[in-house]
Amino acid sequence: MATLGSSQSRHKVTVVGSGNWGSAIAKIVAENVREHPDVFDRHIRMWVHEETVTLSKQSRHYDPSSELSTQPQKLTALINHFHENVKYLPDITLPDNITATASLIEAVVDSTVLIFNLPHQFIGDICDQLKGKILPYARGISCVKGVLVSSDGVSLFSEDIGSKLGIYCGALSGANIATEVAQEKFSETTVAYDPPSIDSRNPTPHGPSPTSSHVNLVDLTPKSDAGATRKVRLEPLPQEFPPLDHAVFKTLFHRPYFHVSLVSDVAGVSLGGALKNIVALAAGSVDGLGWGDNAKAAIMRVGLLEMVKFGKEFFSDAVDAATFTEESCGVADLITSCSGGRNARCAKLAVERGISIEEVERTELNGQILQGTSTAREVNGFLKARGREADYPLFTAVANIVEGKAKAEDIPALIAPK
């Protein structure tokens, strides 16, 4: 367990984002900072994209005599009053040491640990607002599942956050359905963090992944056509703070019901969280056809192979194949996403109803957004630009289904060995 030791200052933690997964992570972090006051400030802030909400009559907090129930209210006010995110994580009590705020700048004041947990399409705008507003020696963890993909290349959200803000940013990803985690049903996750050498006071622990990459992503970007790299000049963490290393991040995220594995393969963890969403769309599609567990297992097997292949081909200097096959962020997340994740559910409903996945997204997700469809299109554009579509038949098949160029029934033929 991490302890303050000779350090005098405590880490303040902010969660940037408050959807169902953001709120679930805030719950975990709030429980842990309260239990470890020698390392962390016991209060955390959670940034909320403000909106007006009317409390549902089905809510356990509904009181017809109260204006909080009968009149539209700001979501932050409801979270802080009821200690519950009544819109995105209903019926889950949040610790009272969480303060929800609609001010992004207020949320990050004096925070040394920033946990990013919001839809990926908002990362750029959020980082633009945060430039120059955070502590220069802050460190980040991205819980955003996905990668930035264009025909020009692939980059990690953790890398994008780090380069925009001038900080080091790791990643958290795993077989983590937000509601189940919030209900304290047992699960695992993977945290990837390779402490920058500028912060190092002790060697980075080698584990628990037996072959962690230990690549410093501050000085390395994924392999691109031009072989270019991007540099970030870091500000060292002041000595009065406990070192932000594997032990401290395990203390921050590990719970009896939420087990944490620490690795240094940030690229592998990030890619696993992105690519499994493509596979989940295929799994949901064959589920919608009623083809059974054998078909879904076949999809998962082919999908896992394509995930490993993609990582090794395009991130060969950074990715460890074991991250995909041994960690929660890899094979376990793939299984969960294909069995009960939102991408699989929406794909299944789309096939059953004979409508597009986008239509299901609009009617079923309460304003939240699927990442699988956009990732499928982006990865396909990236592969097409390199003439590599045929080498990733499942990824290509899913992109064609999303675009309406193929049907779920075509998947066996499209992925058959040539």
Side-chain angles (χ1 to χ4, degrees):
M1 182 184 72
T3 58
L4 190 61
S6 60
S7 304
Q8 298 175 345
S9 297
R10 293 164 175 79
H11 291 292
K12 286 190 174 183
V13 182
T14 294
V15 177
V16 181
S18 59
N20 60 349
W21 186 219
S23 298
I25 285 292
K27 174 181 180 291
I28 288 169
V29 169
E31 290 168 352
N32 281 331
V33 300
R34 189 163 54 191
E35 292 181 9
H36 300 281
D38 53 336
V39 181
F40 303 103
D41 187 296
R42 72 177 306 274
H43 297 282
I44 76 164
R45 292 182 292 260
M46 179 173 72
W47 175 70
V48 177
H49 179 67
E50 191 68 280
E51 55 186 297
T52 301
V53 175
T54 301
L55 199 65
S56 168
K57 290 183 179 180
Q58 281 69 51
S59 170
R60 58 180 175 167
H61 303 293
Y62 186 79
D63 178 358
S65 65
S66 170
E67 287 190 359
L68 282 172
S69 297
T70 59
Q71 300 297 320
Q73 303 290 334
K74 291 182 177 179
L75 181 56
T76 50
L78 293 174
I79 293 173
N80 289 330
H81 181 80
F82 292 122
H83 302 295
E84 177 183 314
N85 189 331
V86 296
K87 180 170 183 179
Y88 295 114
L89 197 65
D91 300 322
I92 300 295
T93 299
L94 300 177
D96 60 8
N97 57 328
I98 297 175
T99 299
T101 176
S103 169
L104 180 61
I105 307 308
E106 179 184 306
V108 301
V109 168
D110 294 332
S111 288
T112 50
V113 178
L114 305 174
I115 302 169
F116 295 88
N117 202 325
L118 65 165
H120 70 276
Q121 62 267 32
F122 301 129
I123 289 289
D125 180 60
I126 291 298
C127 287
D128 288 341
Q129 293 181 59
L130 289 178
K131 286 178 183 176
K133 306 296 184 183
I134 64 172
L135 291 175
Y137 48 82
R139 299 292 181 254
I141 294 289
S142 170
C143 300
V144 182
K145 288 190 176 181
V147 290
L148 290 164
V149 187
S150 69
S151 59
D152 296 328
V154 182
S155 62
L156 316 177
F157 284 122
S158 54
E159 176 194 53
D160 193 49
I161 291 167
S163 62
K164 281 182 165 65
L165 298 180
I167 65 174
Y168 177 79
C169 187
L172 181 152
S173 186
N176 307 140
I177 294 176
T179 303
E180 292 183 9
V181 174
Q183 291 170 342
E184 303 187 6
K185 296 178 179 179
F186 172 65
S187 63
E188 299 177 311
T189 201
T190 309
V191 174
Y193 193 86
D194 200 4
S197 57
I198 198 170
D199 287 352
S200 295
R201 302 173 205 173
N202 297 296
T204 301
H206 288 264
S209 175
T211 51
S212 299
S213 67
H214 295 281
V215 175
N216 187 349
L217 291 182
V218 173
D219 299 320
L220 175 71
T221 57
K223 185 174 66 176
S224 67
D225 291 339
T229 59
R230 184 182 306 151
K231 303 278 187 177
V232 175
R233 186 178 297 277
L234 293 178
E235 184 83 16
L237 183 70
Q239 292 287 321
E240 61 263 26
F241 288 96
L244 286 172
D245 54 17
H246 281 196
V248 165
F249 280 109
K250 186 159 190 174
T251 300
L252 185 61
F253 289 111
H254 188 91
R255 297 295 296 163
Y257 59 88
F258 190 67
H259 286 192
V260 173
S261 172
L262 271 295
V263 299
S264 299
D265 185 4
V266 180
V269 169
S270 300
L271 285 171
L275 299 177
K276 57 91 181 181
N277 287 325
I278 303 176
V279 185
L281 291 175
S285 296
V286 299
D287 215 10
L289 292 169
W291 285 358
D293 292 337
N294 292 339
K296 194 152 55 173
I299 293 297
M300 286 189 272
R301 184 194 69 82
V302 174
L304 181 60
L305 291 176
E306 291 193 14
M307 288 167 62
V308 173
K309 183 177 182 178
F310 189 95
K312 295 302 292 183
E313 180 171 357
F314 300 111
F315 285 76
S316 60
D317 294 328
V319 164
D320 181 355
T323 303
F324 294 102
T325 58
E326 298 177 14
E327 296 292 338
S328 179
C329 63
V331 62
D333 196 11
L334 177 65
I335 293 169
T336 294
S337 298
C338 291
S339 302
R342 70 176 67 172
N343 288 282
R345 292 199 311 272
C346 287
K348 178 182 179 181
L349 288 173
V351 172
E352 289 176 338
R353 298 174 183 178
I355 59 177
S356 69
I357 296 175
E358 285 83 357
E359 181 63 26
V360 175
E361 180 183 49
R362 284 192 293 271
T363 58
E364 300 292 329
L365 291 187
N366 196 27
Q368 296 190 313
I369 298 170
L370 284 180
Q371 291 187 328
T373 51
S374 59
T375 302
R377 290 188 179 101
E378 292 163 359
V379 167
N380 181 250
F382 173 83
L383 293 172
K384 183 181 293 185
R386 286 154 181 78
R388 302 288 286 148
E389 285 181 288
D391 296 294
Y392 295 86
L394 183 64
F395 289 176
T396 302
V398 172
N400 287 332
I401 291 170
V402 169
E403 292 294 330
K405 299 176 182 177
K407 296 181 179 180
E409 293 89 341
D410 301 329
I411 289 177
L414 293 173
I415 67 173
K418 299 297 190 288

PDB file of all heavy atoms in Angstrom, residues 220-245:
ATOM      1  N   LEU A 220       7.862   8.778 -27.370  1.00  0.00           N
ATOM      2  CA  LEU A 220       7.615   7.893 -28.493  1.00  0.00           C
ATOM      3  C   LEU A 220       6.163   7.969 -28.908  1.00  0.00           C
ATOM      4  O   LEU A 220       5.266   7.974 -28.089  1.00  0.00           O
ATOM      5  CB  LEU A 220       7.940   6.447 -28.090  1.00  0.00           C
ATOM      6  CG  LEU A 220       7.612   5.370 -29.122  1.00  0.00           C
ATOM      7  CD1 LEU A 220       8.580   5.461 -30.282  1.00  0.00           C
ATOM      8  CD2 LEU A 220       7.693   3.990 -28.475  1.00  0.00           C
ATOM      9  N   THR A 221       5.937   8.024 -30.202  1.00  0.00           N
ATOM     10  CA  THR A 221       4.591   7.891 -30.734  1.00  0.00           C
ATOM     11  C   THR A 221       4.554   6.616 -31.557  1.00  0.00           C
ATOM     12  O   THR A 221       5.579   6.064 -31.934  1.00  0.00           O
ATOM     13  CB  THR A 221       4.205   9.090 -31.625  1.00  0.00           C
ATOM     14  OG1 THR A 221       5.165   9.191 -32.672  1.00  0.00           O
ATOM     15  CG2 THR A 221       4.172  10.365 -30.839  1.00  0.00           C
ATOM     16  N   PRO A 222       3.344   6.113 -31.860  1.00  0.00           N
ATOM     17  CA  PRO A 222       3.277   4.907 -32.656  1.00  0.00           C
ATOM     18  C   PRO A 222       3.938   5.097 -34.016  1.00  0.00           C
ATOM     19  O   PRO A 222       3.986   6.197 -34.550  1.00  0.00           O
ATOM     20  CB  PRO A 222       1.767   4.648 -32.791  1.00  0.00           C
ATOM     21  CG  PRO A 222       1.106   5.890 -32.367  1.00  0.00           C
ATOM     22  CD  PRO A 222       2.027   6.575 -31.433  1.00  0.00           C
ATOM     23  N   LYS A 223       4.412   3.989 -34.566  1.00  0.00           N
ATOM     24  CA  LYS A 223       5.105   4.036 -35.845  1.00  0.00           C
ATOM     25  C   LYS A 223       4.180   4.597 -36.911  1.00  0.00           C
ATOM     26  O   LYS A 223       3.040   4.176 -37.065  1.00  0.00           O
ATOM     27  CB  LYS A 223       5.557   2.631 -36.225  1.00  0.00           C
ATOM     28  CG  LYS A 223       6.393   2.570 -37.479  1.00  0.00           C
ATOM     29  CD  LYS A 223       6.929   1.174 -37.707  1.00  0.00           C
ATOM     30  CE  LYS A 223       5.839   0.184 -37.989  1.00  0.00           C
ATOM     31  NZ  LYS A 223       6.360  -1.150 -38.308  1.00  0.00           N
ATOM     32  N   SER A 224       4.644   5.570 -37.656  1.00  0.00           N
ATOM     33  CA  SER A 224       3.856   6.166 -38.723  1.00  0.00           C
ATOM     34  C   SER A 224       4.583   5.973 -40.039  1.00  0.00           C
ATOM     35  O   SER A 224       5.719   5.499 -40.089  1.00  0.00           O
ATOM     36  CB  SER A 224       3.647   7.659 -38.459  1.00  0.00           C
ATOM     37  OG  SER A 224       4.877   8.349 -38.557  1.00  0.00           O
ATOM     38  N   ASP A 225       3.919   6.351 -41.135  1.00  0.00           N
ATOM     39  CA  ASP A 225       4.553   6.213 -42.440  1.00  0.00           C
ATOM     40  C   ASP A 225       5.857   7.004 -42.502  1.00  0.00           C
ATOM     41  O   ASP A 225       6.833   6.568 -43.108  1.00  0.00           O
ATOM     42  CB  ASP A 225       3.603   6.713 -43.543  1.00  0.00           C
ATOM     43  CG  ASP A 225       2.416   5.780 -43.711  1.00  0.00           C
ATOM     44  OD1 ASP A 225       2.519   4.610 -43.300  1.00  0.00           O
ATOM     45  OD2 ASP A 225       1.391   6.223 -44.245  1.00  0.00           O
ATOM     46  N   ALA A 226       5.863   8.172 -41.862  1.00  0.00           N
ATOM     47  CA  ALA A 226       7.040   9.029 -41.910  1.00  0.00           C
ATOM     48  C   ALA A 226       8.046   8.692 -40.824  1.00  0.00           C
ATOM     49  O   ALA A 226       9.145   9.235 -40.800  1.00  0.00           O
ATOM     50  CB  ALA A 226       6.619  10.498 -41.771  1.00  0.00           C
ATOM     51  N   GLY A 227       7.661   7.820 -39.918  1.00  0.00           N
ATOM     52  CA  GLY A 227       8.545   7.473 -38.809  1.00  0.00           C
ATOM     53  C   GLY A 227       8.758   8.619 -37.853  1.00  0.00           C
ATOM     54  O   GLY A 227       9.750   8.672 -37.130  1.00  0.00           O
ATOM     55  N   ALA A 228       7.816   9.570 -37.819  1.00  0.00           N
ATOM     56  CA  ALA A 228       7.984  10.762 -36.991  1.00  0.00           C
ATOM     57  C   ALA A 228       7.661  10.453 -35.542  1.00  0.00           C
ATOM     58  O   ALA A 228       6.889   9.563 -35.234  1.00  0.00           O
ATOM     59  CB  ALA A 228       7.067  11.881 -37.496  1.00  0.00           C
ATOM     60  N   THR A 229       8.276  11.202 -34.620  1.00  0.00           N
ATOM     61  CA  THR A 229       7.952  11.110 -33.204  1.00  0.00           C
ATOM     62  C   THR A 229       7.592  12.476 -32.678  1.00  0.00           C
ATOM     63  O   THR A 229       7.928  13.496 -33.258  1.00  0.00           O
ATOM     64  CB  THR A 229       9.140  10.558 -32.384  1.00  0.00           C
ATOM     65  OG1 THR A 229      10.262  11.428 -32.560  1.00  0.00           O
ATOM     66  CG2 THR A 229       9.506   9.154 -32.830  1.00  0.00           C
ATOM     67  N   ARG A 230       6.857  12.471 -31.560  1.00  0.00           N
ATOM     68  CA  ARG A 230       6.426  13.726 -30.962  1.00  0.00           C
ATOM     69  C   ARG A 230       6.972  13.793 -29.539  1.00  0.00           C
ATOM     70  O   ARG A 230       6.908  12.838 -28.789  1.00  0.00           O
ATOM     71  CB  ARG A 230       4.889  13.765 -30.924  1.00  0.00           C
ATOM     72  CG  ARG A 230       4.306  15.072 -30.407  1.00  0.00           C
ATOM     73  CD  ARG A 230       2.793  14.978 -30.380  1.00  0.00           C
ATOM     74  NE  ARG A 230       2.272  14.589 -31.670  1.00  0.00           N
ATOM     75  CZ  ARG A 230       1.147  13.904 -31.838  1.00  0.00           C
ATOM     76  NH1 ARG A 230       0.431  13.533 -30.813  1.00  0.00           N
ATOM     77  NH2 ARG A 230       0.742  13.567 -33.059  1.00  0.00           N
ATOM     78  N   LYS A 231       7.474  14.950 -29.149  1.00  0.00           N
ATOM     79  CA  LYS A 231       8.083  15.108 -27.838  1.00  0.00           C
ATOM     80  C   LYS A 231       7.214  15.996 -26.952  1.00  0.00           C
ATOM     81  O   LYS A 231       6.559  16.920 -27.418  1.00  0.00           O
ATOM     82  CB  LYS A 231       9.468  15.757 -27.966  1.00  0.00           C
ATOM     83  CG  LYS A 231      10.438  14.988 -28.870  1.00  0.00           C
ATOM     84  CD  LYS A 231      11.083  13.843 -28.132  1.00  0.00           C
ATOM     85  CE  LYS A 231      12.161  13.192 -28.997  1.00  0.00           C
ATOM     86  NZ  LYS A 231      12.865  12.125 -28.303  1.00  0.00           N
ATOM     87  N   VAL A 232       7.224  15.704 -25.659  1.00  0.00           N
ATOM     88  CA  VAL A 232       6.554  16.533 -24.663  1.00  0.00           C
ATOM     89  C   VAL A 232       7.576  16.874 -23.593  1.00  0.00           C
ATOM     90  O   VAL A 232       8.230  15.981 -23.057  1.00  0.00           O
ATOM     91  CB  VAL A 232       5.352  15.788 -24.033  1.00  0.00           C
ATOM     92  CG1 VAL A 232       4.756  16.621 -22.908  1.00  0.00           C
ATOM     93  CG2 VAL A 232       4.295  15.493 -25.085  1.00  0.00           C
ATOM     94  N   ARG A 233       7.718  18.143 -23.312  1.00  0.00           N
ATOM     95  CA  ARG A 233       8.636  18.558 -22.251  1.00  0.00           C
ATOM     96  C   ARG A 233       7.871  18.561 -20.932  1.00  0.00           C
ATOM     97  O   ARG A 233       6.940  19.342 -20.740  1.00  0.00           O
ATOM     98  CB  ARG A 233       9.204  19.949 -22.547  1.00  0.00           C
ATOM     99  CG  ARG A 233      10.286  20.393 -21.550  1.00  0.00           C
ATOM    100  CD  ARG A 233      10.837  21.756 -21.919  1.00  0.00           C
ATOM    101  NE  ARG A 233      11.485  21.729 -23.213  1.00  0.00           N
ATOM    102  CZ  ARG A 233      12.743  21.331 -23.404  1.00  0.00           C
ATOM    103  NH1 ARG A 233      13.469  20.905 -22.380  1.00  0.00           N
ATOM    104  NH2 ARG A 233      13.271  21.348 -24.608  1.00  0.00           N
ATOM    105  N   LEU A 234       8.260  17.686 -20.026  1.00  0.00           N
ATOM    106  CA  LEU A 234       7.518  17.516 -18.783  1.00  0.00           C
ATOM    107  C   LEU A 234       8.090  18.358 -17.654  1.00  0.00           C
ATOM    108  O   LEU A 234       9.295  18.602 -17.581  1.00  0.00           O
ATOM    109  CB  LEU A 234       7.538  16.048 -18.354  1.00  0.00           C
ATOM    110  CG  LEU A 234       6.783  15.050 -19.235  1.00  0.00           C
ATOM    111  CD1 LEU A 234       6.950  13.650 -18.681  1.00  0.00           C
ATOM    112  CD2 LEU A 234       5.323  15.415 -19.341  1.00  0.00           C
ATOM    113  N   GLU A 235       7.193  18.767 -16.774  1.00  0.00           N
ATOM    114  CA  GLU A 235       7.567  19.423 -15.520  1.00  0.00           C
ATOM    115  C   GLU A 235       7.629  18.336 -14.448  1.00  0.00           C
ATOM    116  O   GLU A 235       6.677  17.565 -14.279  1.00  0.00           O
ATOM    117  CB  GLU A 235       6.519  20.460 -15.145  1.00  0.00           C
ATOM    118  CG  GLU A 235       6.828  21.283 -13.925  1.00  0.00           C
ATOM    119  CD  GLU A 235       7.740  22.464 -14.222  1.00  0.00           C
ATOM    120  OE1 GLU A 235       7.881  22.824 -15.405  1.00  0.00           O
ATOM    121  OE2 GLU A 235       8.297  23.013 -13.267  1.00  0.00           O
ATOM    122  N   PRO A 236       8.715  18.218 -13.705  1.00  0.00           N
ATOM    123  CA  PRO A 236       8.810  17.140 -12.705  1.00  0.00           C
ATOM    124  C   PRO A 236       7.828  17.327 -11.560  1.00  0.00           C
ATOM    125  O   PRO A 236       7.511  18.454 -11.172  1.00  0.00           O
ATOM    126  CB  PRO A 236      10.260  17.236 -12.209  1.00  0.00           C
ATOM    127  CG  PRO A 236      10.669  18.648 -12.489  1.00  0.00           C
ATOM    128  CD  PRO A 236       9.941  19.040 -13.745  1.00  0.00           C
ATOM    129  N   LEU A 237       7.344  16.220 -11.037  1.00  0.00           N
ATOM    130  CA  LEU A 237       6.476  16.262  -9.866  1.00  0.00           C
ATOM    131  C   LEU A 237       7.297  16.720  -8.661  1.00  0.00           C
ATOM    132  O   LEU A 237       8.351  16.159  -8.378  1.00  0.00           O
ATOM    133  CB  LEU A 237       5.917  14.863  -9.600  1.00  0.00           C
ATOM    134  CG  LEU A 237       4.916  14.726  -8.451  1.00  0.00           C
ATOM    135  CD1 LEU A 237       3.596  15.386  -8.809  1.00  0.00           C
ATOM    136  CD2 LEU A 237       4.691  13.245  -8.129  1.00  0.00           C
ATOM    137  N   PRO A 238       6.874  17.762  -7.950  1.00  0.00           N
ATOM    138  CA  PRO A 238       7.643  18.245  -6.795  1.00  0.00           C
ATOM    139  C   PRO A 238       7.866  17.157  -5.751  1.00  0.00           C
ATOM    140  O   PRO A 238       7.028  16.273  -5.552  1.00  0.00           O
ATOM    141  CB  PRO A 238       6.767  19.374  -6.236  1.00  0.00           C
ATOM    142  CG  PRO A 238       5.975  19.850  -7.409  1.00  0.00           C
ATOM    143  CD  PRO A 238       5.699  18.611  -8.222  1.00  0.00           C
ATOM    144  N   GLN A 239       8.996  17.223  -5.084  1.00  0.00           N
ATOM    145  CA  GLN A 239       9.399  16.192  -4.127  1.00  0.00           C
ATOM    146  C   GLN A 239       8.461  16.090  -2.931  1.00  0.00           C
ATOM    147  O   GLN A 239       8.421  15.047  -2.265  1.00  0.00           O
ATOM    148  CB  GLN A 239      10.827  16.479  -3.633  1.00  0.00           C
ATOM    149  CG  GLN A 239      11.903  16.305  -4.683  1.00  0.00           C
ATOM    150  CD  GLN A 239      12.170  14.843  -4.996  1.00  0.00           C
ATOM    151  OE1 GLN A 239      12.165  14.003  -4.103  1.00  0.00           O
ATOM    152  NE2 GLN A 239      12.394  14.543  -6.266  1.00  0.00           N
ATOM    153  N   GLU A 240       7.707  17.165  -2.656  1.00  0.00           N
ATOM    154  CA  GLU A 240       6.848  17.103  -1.472  1.00  0.00           C
ATOM    155  C   GLU A 240       5.625  16.208  -1.675  1.00  0.00           C
ATOM    156  O   GLU A 240       4.879  15.928  -0.729  1.00  0.00           O
ATOM    157  CB  GLU A 240       6.390  18.495  -1.049  1.00  0.00           C
ATOM    158  CG  GLU A 240       5.557  19.267  -2.066  1.00  0.00           C
ATOM    159  CD  GLU A 240       6.406  20.231  -2.882  1.00  0.00           C
ATOM    160  OE1 GLU A 240       7.628  19.981  -3.037  1.00  0.00           O
ATOM    161  OE2 GLU A 240       5.845  21.233  -3.373  1.00  0.00           O
ATOM    162  N   PHE A 241       5.380  15.765  -2.924  1.00  0.00           N
ATOM    163  CA  PHE A 241       4.271  14.856  -3.195  1.00  0.00           C
ATOM    164  C   PHE A 241       4.757  13.410  -3.198  1.00  0.00           C
ATOM    165  O   PHE A 241       5.897  13.131  -3.570  1.00  0.00           O
ATOM    166  CB  PHE A 241       3.643  15.158  -4.559  1.00  0.00           C
ATOM    167  CG  PHE A 241       2.839  16.420  -4.610  1.00  0.00           C
ATOM    168  CD1 PHE A 241       3.406  17.594  -5.076  1.00  0.00           C
ATOM    169  CD2 PHE A 241       1.516  16.431  -4.198  1.00  0.00           C
ATOM    170  CE1 PHE A 241       2.666  18.762  -5.127  1.00  0.00           C
ATOM    171  CE2 PHE A 241       0.763  17.591  -4.247  1.00  0.00           C
ATOM    172  CZ  PHE A 241       1.346  18.759  -4.708  1.00  0.00           C
ATOM    173  N   PRO A 242       3.891  12.464  -2.816  1.00  0.00           N
ATOM    174  CA  PRO A 242       4.247  11.052  -2.998  1.00  0.00           C
ATOM    175  C   PRO A 242       4.485  10.776  -4.477  1.00  0.00           C
ATOM    176  O   PRO A 242       3.799  11.351  -5.334  1.00  0.00           O
ATOM    177  CB  PRO A 242       3.003  10.303  -2.490  1.00  0.00           C
ATOM    178  CG  PRO A 242       2.270  11.281  -1.643  1.00  0.00           C
ATOM    179  CD  PRO A 242       2.552  12.633  -2.212  1.00  0.00           C
ATOM    180  N   PRO A 243       5.436   9.936  -4.824  1.00  0.00           N
ATOM    181  CA  PRO A 243       5.685   9.648  -6.249  1.00  0.00           C
ATOM    182  C   PRO A 243       4.468   8.998  -6.886  1.00  0.00           C
ATOM    183  O   PRO A 243       3.800   8.162  -6.283  1.00  0.00           O
ATOM    184  CB  PRO A 243       6.870   8.677  -6.206  1.00  0.00           C
ATOM    185  CG  PRO A 243       6.829   8.074  -4.844  1.00  0.00           C
ATOM    186  CD  PRO A 243       6.299   9.143  -3.933  1.00  0.00           C
ATOM    187  N   LEU A 244       4.166   9.410  -8.099  1.00  0.00           N
ATOM    188  CA  LEU A 244       3.055   8.807  -8.830  1.00  0.00           C
ATOM    189  C   LEU A 244       3.593   7.609  -9.600  1.00  0.00           C
ATOM    190  O   LEU A 244       4.086   7.721 -10.722  1.00  0.00           O
ATOM    191  CB  LEU A 244       2.408   9.837  -9.757  1.00  0.00           C
ATOM    192  CG  LEU A 244       1.554  10.888  -9.036  1.00  0.00           C
ATOM    193  CD1 LEU A 244       1.102  11.993  -9.984  1.00  0.00           C
ATOM    194  CD2 LEU A 244       0.333  10.237  -8.377  1.00  0.00           C
ATOM    195  N   ASP A 245       3.505   6.455  -8.962  1.00  0.00           N
ATOM    196  CA  ASP A 245       4.043   5.234  -9.525  1.00  0.00           C
ATOM    197  C   ASP A 245       2.964   4.151  -9.501  1.00  0.00           C
ATOM    198  O   ASP A 245       1.793   4.417  -9.206  1.00  0.00           O
ATOM    199  CB  ASP A 245       5.287   4.798  -8.750  1.00  0.00           C
ATOM    200  CG  ASP A 245       5.028   4.679  -7.246  1.00  0.00           C
ATOM    201  OD1 ASP A 245       3.847   4.620  -6.836  1.00  0.00           O
ATOM    202  OD2 ASP A 245       6.016   4.638  -6.479  1.00  0.00           O
TER     203      ASP A 245
END
